[in-house]
């Protein structure tokens, strides 16, 4: 089983985006998920650090400087997608990644509080 740890910078980044109103609570993740080309452009335009901030987990067994090191995406490089966060939470739960599930739930609760205010 991969060795994942919570990407605390990503959780913080997601919450800031949510606080700034940069979230999508309508588009299904299957439609909003960025393509491989989108990911490459994000890395080329910004950096792997910026790419990493869009993923709730880091696979510590994967090499640094690779897309495979970052797991559980939560947005499209512009907005937090609620369906993506739900998907990340469910997938983490199904695979026994308790800390990642908790982080996704924290982001989801933050988003839902923002939506209801």
């Amino acid at each position: 089983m991969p060795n994942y740890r919570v990407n605390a910078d990503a959780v913080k980044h997601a919450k800031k985006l949510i606080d700034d109103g940069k979230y999508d609570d309508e588009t299904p993740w299957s439609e909003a998920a960025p393509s491989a080309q989108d990911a490459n452009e994000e890395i080329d335009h910004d950096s792997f650090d910026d790419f990493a901030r869009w993923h709730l987990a880091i696979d510590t067994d994967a090499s640094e400087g690779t897309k495979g090191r970052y797991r559980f995406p939560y947005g499209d490089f512009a907005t937090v997608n609620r369906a993506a966060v739900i998907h990340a939470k469910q997938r983490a739960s199904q695979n026994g990644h308790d800390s990642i599930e908790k982080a996704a739930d924290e982001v989801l609760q933050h988003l839902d509080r923002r939506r209801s205010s």
Side-chain angles (χ1 to χ4, degrees):
M1 181 153 89
N3 186 23
Y4 293 152
R5 72 172 165 81
V6 172
N7 184 351
D9 288 340
V11 173
K12 183 178 177 181
H13 183 245
K15 288 180 177 181
K16 181 176 182 342
L17 290 167
I18 292 165
D19 289 344
D20 292 345
K22 295 179 181 176
Y23 61 88
D24 177 352
D25 58 358
E26 295 180 7
T27 308
W29 183 231
S30 59
E31 293 176 21
S35 68
Q37 180 62 31
D38 294 334
N40 291 338
E41 289 173 7
E42 175 70 9
I43 293 165
D44 290 345
H45 183 262
D46 294 315
S47 68
F48 262 105
D49 289 340
D50 289 327
F51 176 78
R53 289 189 317 163
W54 288 94
H55 298 80
L56 296 174
I58 297 171
D59 180 348
T60 58
D61 294 332
S63 298
E64 289 189 38
T66 64
K67 289 190 284 186
R69 184 167 173 84
Y70 306 102
R71 303 293 185 180
F72 298 91
Y74 65 83
D76 62 2
F77 307 125
T79 60
V80 175
N81 180 280
R82 186 173 186 275
V85 178
I86 291 169
H87 183 264
K89 180 181 172 183
Q90 290 172 337
R91 203 174 86 215
S93 174
Q94 292 166 349
N95 291 291
H97 302 299
D98 297 339
S99 61
I100 308 305
E101 178 187 5
K102 183 178 175 185
D105 186 58
E106 185 180 323
V107 171
L108 181 60
Q109 288 184 34
H110 191 82
L111 193 156
D112 286 347
R113 281 192 300 273
R114 174 73 160 96
R115 288 173 63 211
S116 65
S117 62

